[in-house]
Amino acid sequence: MRSRSIAWRLALAFAAVCALVLSAIGVFLYRSLASEIAWRDDMALLGRLEQVRALLADSDSLDALQARPRLYQNMLGNLDSLLLVQRADGSNVITINPRQRALPPVQAISRDQSPQRRDVLTWQAADGVELALLSGQVQGPNGESLTVIAGKVLSEREQMLGSYRLRLYLAVGLGAVLAFTLGLVLLRRGLRPLRKMSEALRGIDLRSLDQRVPTAGTPTELLEPVHALNGMLVRLDDGFQRLSQFSADLAHEIRTPLHTLLASNGQALNYPRSSTEYQEVLASNMEEFERLKRMAENLMFLARAEQAERALDLRTLELHEIGDELCDYFEALADDREIRLENTFSGELLVDQQLLQRALGNLLANAVRHADAGSVISLRRRDEPGMCWLQVHNLGPVIAEKHLGKLFDRFYRVDPSRAEPGDSGGLGLAIVQSIMQLHGGRVRVSSGATGTGFELGFVTSR
């Protein structure tokens, strides 16, 4: 489980980053030290060559130089320093080579040339020891041409750099371990709000959807996820409440026709009746079955619409033709109540024809059912920037303000006692809202002294 832990992964990453940074710093310091030591050794060789040149130029004879120990007394006891003064025939005038190392041929710089660092030669002996050598020509006391070879064994330098490398390795390793340990501790403390959030979420179930994740003391980086979680809980709570209310309303709506069917059938079975009376019972039962069928179809449509299972068949339609078809369909029902239908739709609209007809049909059915006798129901179009509004307007009883926000809820009726056999079971306006949601539009209603208007808003510019 540790491999899946965010704290462990981040702590390892933090340790790796620290190790890389420490390594980079260590490499820089190591190379700086190596360069500084190499510069110091090269400067020492250059100075030694100049000193020997001056000493030879000031001396009276070579024999006197060999007899004077002050020439090389500063090198006594130093096994890493080399100094050779050779004649032109290769014989040695002065030899300081404590370990008697064989030296390679070295190109000597001319006596009138000042030595430079580039003249220093680094050579590796057969035993793996490196030497730094510098050779230069010089004029002896009697005008004799001599060659001076100054050298230094670099073992001390390698030992020093090796010890420094070991310390760098230890420092990088200990730094990575320390970074991992501190990072793990700090990350666990930093992730404490997440654990508190998890504890708060574990305490929320179907019976406590009203609880929210506390934001007090929450770090700034976690405030947005906490607000998103609380928003999700609000939506879940609202959805659960709606589902609970829907279940209760559905049970209530189904119970009424079922009780009617059971009562009528029980009475028909308890007492002998004529064939005419049995036919009346069957006709009454058929009305209740039709009501249950419409309710089931409407519920099926709503379920599919919410799951987005229906693909829209968008077409550009002539709105006036759609209005004429709907007016023709509801004309007989309107004539029974002496209501006149007026179609003033115009223009074109990109919509699903069947869904548009169903939405407008549900609104017209409600309008005809609730409009005052002898009034006019009109179909109107009104355009706004980016929106096209289709309105079904009728004159009738004013809908109270408290009901307007609930009209599109399932099974909601302003006056349940006015339910009729042919109505939609309180699902008509809910279907209208689902159709508009499928189209990405809106639905709204207004009611007042000038009448009641239901409007469908379609987006015309994307």
Side-chain angles (χ1 to χ4, degrees):
M1 295 300 292
R2 290 179 176 178
S3 61
R4 300 180 182 179
S5 170
I6 294 179
W8 275 76
R9 290 181 180 180
L10 291 178
L12 287 174
F14 184 60
V17 170
C18 288
L20 289 176
V21 173
L22 291 176
S23 299
I25 296 175
V27 170
F28 172 77
L29 294 177
Y30 175 80
R31 291 187 175 180
S32 299
L33 177 62
S35 177
E36 183 68 22
I37 294 176
W39 180 86
R40 184 195 64 182
D41 291 342
D42 292 347
M43 290 297 103
L45 289 178
L46 296 178
R48 185 169 301 165
L49 178 59
E50 291 290 347
Q51 289 175 358
V52 172
R53 277 181 169 180
L55 184 61
L56 290 174
D58 295 339
S59 299
D60 297 331
S61 66
L62 293 179
D63 294 337
L65 287 175
Q66 290 176 319
R68 292 164 58 189
R70 65 184 180 85
L71 173 67
Y72 49 85
Q73 72 181 62
N74 63 326
M75 298 179 184
L76 293 177
N78 190 343
L79 300 180
D80 292 334
S81 296
L82 303 174
L83 179 63
L84 301 177
V85 180
Q86 299 176 337
R87 296 186 178 91
D89 59 1
S91 60
N92 294 327
V93 178
I94 298 175
T95 302
I96 300 177
N97 189 358
R99 298 186 184 277
Q100 302 300 317
R101 297 184 182 278
L103 302 180
V106 183
Q107 182 68 33
I109 61 176
S110 62
R111 60 190 178 190
D112 57 349
Q113 179 181 352
S114 297
Q116 304 292 329
R117 286 195 67 191
R118 61 176 179 271
D119 300 322
V120 178
L121 171 68
T122 301
W123 177 73
Q124 187 172 10
D127 56 359
V129 177
E130 289 188 350
L131 292 88
L133 301 173
L134 177 63
S135 177
Q137 295 178 351
V138 63
Q139 186 175 4
N142 300 321
E144 182 179 2
S145 178
L146 302 175
T147 300
V148 177
I149 300 176
K152 180 178 177 60
V153 179
L154 303 181
S155 300
E156 181 183 358
R157 180 199 299 185
E158 293 302 322
Q159 291 175 359
M160 182 184 299
L161 292 178
S163 175
Y164 190 72
R165 283 197 303 270
L166 179 61
R167 293 178 182 179
L168 285 179
Y169 295 150
L170 292 175
V172 171
L174 291 176
V177 172
L178 182 61
F180 173 78
T181 304
L182 292 178
L184 187 61
V185 172
L186 293 176
L187 284 170
R188 286 185 172 176
R189 290 177 61 88
L191 293 175
R192 189 177 299 170
L194 283 178
R195 291 193 291 272
K196 293 182 179 179
M197 185 190 306
S198 301
E199 294 174 0
L201 289 175
R202 279 195 294 267
I204 299 176
D205 53 22
L206 291 178
R207 293 171 294 182
S208 58
L209 286 176
D210 57 332
Q211 295 184 11
R212 301 292 177 263
V213 179
T215 57
T218 302
T220 305
E221 293 78 5
L222 295 180
L223 277 178
E224 186 173 350
V226 168
H227 288 318
L229 281 173
N230 286 335
M232 181 187 67
L233 290 174
V234 170
R235 294 190 295 272
L236 286 176
D237 188 22
D238 181 68
F240 183 75
Q241 295 297 332
R242 287 177 177 271
L243 182 60
S244 300
Q245 185 63 40
F246 168 73
S247 301
D249 293 340
L250 179 61
H252 176 75
E253 293 292 331
I254 292 178
R255 183 178 59 184
T256 301
L258 288 178
H259 283 180
T260 303
L261 289 171
L262 288 173
S264 61
N265 288 341
Q267 291 178 359
L269 291 174
N270 289 334
Y271 301 100
R273 298 178 182 273
S274 63
S275 58
T276 302
E277 291 175 331
Y278 280 121
Q279 289 178 354
E280 292 177 354
V281 171
L282 291 176
S284 176
N285 290 347
M286 286 297 296
E287 291 181 358
E288 297 300 329
F289 285 131
E290 287 291 336
R291 180 179 177 185
L292 289 173
K293 178 184 177 183
R294 285 193 302 273
M295 186 182 302
E297 291 176 346
N298 291 336
L299 289 172
M300 184 66 69
F301 176 86
L302 290 172
R304 290 177 178 174
E306 288 183 354
Q307 297 298 325
E309 295 178 357
R310 183 188 179 98
L312 294 179
D313 182 16
L314 297 179
R315 298 180 183 179
T316 301
L317 305 178
E318 288 287 344
L319 292 178
H320 191 75
E321 294 180 2
I322 298 295
D324 286 341
E325 293 176 3
L326 290 171
C327 289
D328 291 341
Y329 182 81
F330 286 96
E331 185 176 7
L333 183 61
D335 288 343
D336 291 342
R337 302 195 59 197
E338 299 180 353
I339 295 174
R340 183 167 60 88
L341 302 178
E342 181 181 62
N343 174 28
T344 62
F345 281 166
S346 61
E348 297 179 342
L349 188 63
L350 182 65
V351 289
D352 186 300
Q353 181 175 357
Q354 292 184 356
L355 293 182
L356 178 63
Q357 289 176 334
R358 182 161 191 176
L360 290 173
N362 287 352
L363 295 181
L364 268 175
N366 277 346
V368 172
R369 185 177 298 115
H370 299 288
D372 295 336
S375 62
V376 178
I377 298 177
S378 58
L379 304 181
R380 307 171 182 174
R381 171 175 177 164
R382 184 170 55 84
D383 292 320
E384 294 179 356
M387 294 289 293
C388 171
W389 293 93
L390 303 182
Q391 184 186 68
V392 177
H393 182 271
N394 70 280
L395 294 174
V398 177
I399 303 176
E401 184 71 25
K402 64 179 181 180
H403 297 298
L404 293 179
K406 303 178 181 179
L407 289 178
F408 298 98
D409 294 344
R410 298 174 185 180
F411 300 115
Y412 186 82
R413 293 188 180 93
V414 175
D415 186 3
S417 63
R418 294 190 59 180
E420 301 178 8
D423 67 5
S424 59
L427 296 173
L429 294 180
I431 290 175
V432 172
Q433 186 177 46
S434 295
I435 290 174
M436 295 309 299
Q437 289 174 350
L438 286 174
H439 282 84
R442 293 185 293 164
V443 59
R444 63 189 183 187
V445 58
S446 60
S447 183
T450 59
T452 299
F454 286 85
E455 292 184 294
L456 308 180
F458 295 90
V459 179
T460 56
S461 61
R462 297 286 182 179

